[in-house]
Amino acid sequence: MPRLMITLDLMGLVGLMGLTGCAGNQYLTQNPTPTRLDHAVATSAPVAPISKTVDAGLAESVPAVSEEVRPVNHQKVSVKPSGGEDPSRHGTLTIDGRQYELKLVESKPNEIATADLSLTAFEDGPVVNVPVEPAAPMAFPIDEDVQYFEGAIPQGDFAGQPMTSTSHSIDLNLPSALAMVGGQHPVVGFAQWRVQEAYAQLARAEVLWLPSIQAGFGFHRHDGNYQASDGTIVDINRNSFQYGLGTGATGAGTTPRPGLVAQFHLADAIFLPEIAERTVSARHHAAAAAMNEQLRSTAVAYTELVNAYQDASILESSRQRTAELFKITNDFAKAGEGLQADADRINTELAMVDNRMIAARERIAVASARLAQTLSLDGATPIQPLDVTAVPIDLVSLEMDKASLISTGLNSRPELKESKSLVAAACEAYRREKYAPFVPSVLLGFSTGGFGGGLGNNLDNVDGRYDLDAVMTWEVRNLGFGERAARRESSARVQQARFEKLRVMDQVAREISEAYSQIQFRREQIVVTERAIGSAEDSYNRNLERIRDGQGLPLEVLQSVQALETARRAYLQAIIDHNQAQFQLQWALGWPVTAPAPTAMGM
């Protein structure tokens, strides 16, 4: 009695059982639950040969949906385990009337822990072992509490696999995500600390005229020639010592480092506080702009994640319809009432849907990582949206005309307020350079403490000493050419700031106008694609009934399935684009992005 031996790993068998069913456990195909292992090895090669080698009828059941799966019964077989092995390590199952022996294969030492199964088909004739070369294994943990996204669990080759590795995931809705954007976020925190830096610079500018305190002591010793005040050269050994407020005095000169010293340019004392105050205002508006920008980015990233999950759900529904159509056409072909070419064509489309589902899984992972970045979360932990579906939302009423909205944005946008403050700061800096040659630099110094000294090593006559210095100087830099260059430089900065303000004004007007138009046209897209869904569903149902009655062509139903998938995905994308345009308009107007209750927009 020939026997056919095929080896596949446990994950491949779970995928196979998810397609064909198991006696007493049909729940497996309808509610896939991961098997508990410490590690599992996923291989792609063993799955494909099964439907081709074991039985041609098995390929018929591969794309079948769960409610049409036929049960498979465990039965005893005449062949018993040899070598006195543990019977508990063996099992059998029957698929389409054929019996298979299941045998647990131990993994080798120092290898990744795997659970492989040997699958033996019993027929007449000797045992034939068919080696199956698996792809390079990739180890990944499987946890008991893996969470699946309801309605987006892939079937077929994807059965038993979650959309993302979500043993530990973060569940978020839009209000929660927006609430996480605060002072601890890197972008927002950086902008807020720049405001604190500007306040510190303002405080320093306001006290520029106050004196600094310099206290300490100094010792000076001179040995050798020295020129006296009458011009004679004398050989002298002397020392001097000073302590208290002010240090460094030697001989009859004043204290070079006064104890209380105020040294500043009067133009700086007058204009630097004004410049710093305008800078503080600009940093405040920049921080508000950073917050608004991050809120918008978070809202857009969240909608992209919802879009990815909902798109996967649409593809899953399309796959189920295609699988149902494949079963019908394949049954007709076997009964001689249809063409095998039609079944092959639909089987090809089934593979293409699987390919799109793989891309959908990628989109989910990428969208989750991008949302984690906008929220400054651990990118290794997947994020799942709590919104079960995407619906149109309204943040800004379009009852106002576009010109009124642009006027509102020009008055409210924090980036524009920042530009205005920077223009004011540049103007104050120009005034400082303009009046600098006409106001003096000031030096005020006062010192007090003890001073003494003597010849040789003698240090005596230490007594109190007081010095007071007041100096005012006017400076014209580089014969006036330096002053002229400084004024030209500051004037150029004023013009740069003004043109930057104009650029921001144009940008604000463009962003508001663009978002306003996008909302209008995308609302129309929602209405049109919604009608397209209704038409596609009617077409699919009618064509499916015709083909069941033997009147229609399978390709007509396939085209209806494709049209329905295209319409549903277009409707979803129209809603996502509309919502993102709403967030864009809210941001362009200078208002913080919020998360209002969804609206149906009269549909």
Side-chain angles (χ1 to χ4, degrees), residues 569-598:
R569 296 182 78 181
Y571 177 72
L572 172 64
Q573 191 61 51
I575 292 178
I576 295 299
D577 291 342
H578 170 271
N579 292 347
Q580 291 182 353
Q582 284 280 349
F583 294 132
Q584 180 74 12
L585 182 56
Q586 177 89 347
W587 168 78
L589 291 172
W591 303 333
V593 174
T594 56

Side-chain angles (χ1 to χ4, degrees), residues 426-448:
C427 290
E428 292 296 334
Y430 173 77
R431 292 179 61 196
R432 188 267 177 210
E433 299 299 337
K434 180 179 179 181
Y435 293 106
F438 306 103
V439 293
S441 295
V442 177
L443 172 62
L444 299 175
F446 172 75
S447 302
T448 181

Side-chain angles (χ1 to χ4, degrees), residues 167-180:
S167 57
H168 300 287
S169 62
I170 301 174
D171 297 333
L172 283 179
N173 57 14
L174 182 56
S176 299
L178 295 177
M180 296 176 67

Side-chain angles (χ1 to χ4, degrees), residues 418-428 494 496-499 501:
E418 177 190 7
S419 297
K420 294 178 180 178
S421 297
L422 291 177
V423 171
C427 290
E428 292 296 334
V494 171
Q496 291 176 39
R498 287 176 174 172
F499 279 106
K501 185 186 73 171

Side-chain angles (χ1 to χ4, degrees), residues 2 54 60 102 166 181 185 210 215 301 344 399 414 420 438 481 485-486 506 520 552 567:
V54 176
E60 171 186 346
L102 306 179
T166 54
V181 180
H185 192 279
L210 293 177
D344 294 340
E399 295 179 356
K420 294 178 180 178
F438 306 103
F481 294 103
D506 292 340
Q520 286 183 321

Side-chain angles (χ1 to χ4, degrees), residues 458-529:
N458 295 328
L459 185 60
D460 49 19
N461 296 325
V462 178
D463 204 347
R465 171 171 175 159
Y466 302 92
D467 293 279
L468 178 62
D469 301 283
V471 180
M472 299 181 67
T473 58
W474 282 259
E475 180 185 14
V476 178
R477 290 169 287 183
N478 309 113
L479 298 177
F481 294 103
E483 299 294 338
R484 179 182 177 184
R487 285 194 296 270
R488 289 181 59 189
E489 180 182 359
S490 59
S491 176
R493 289 175 180 171
V494 171
Q495 297 304 321
Q496 291 176 39
R498 287 176 174 172
F499 279 106
E500 175 64 16
K501 185 186 73 171
L502 294 176
R503 186 196 67 82
V504 175
M505 292 176 64
D506 292 340
Q507 178 179 333
V508 169
R510 190 265 302 170
E511 290 169 346
I512 294 175
S513 178
E514 184 180 273
Y516 184 91
S517 300
Q518 286 175 340
I519 292 174
Q520 286 183 321
F521 290 109
R522 289 171 184 178
R523 282 186 172 183
E524 297 178 9
Q525 286 182 326
I526 292 174
V527 176
V528 171
T529 53

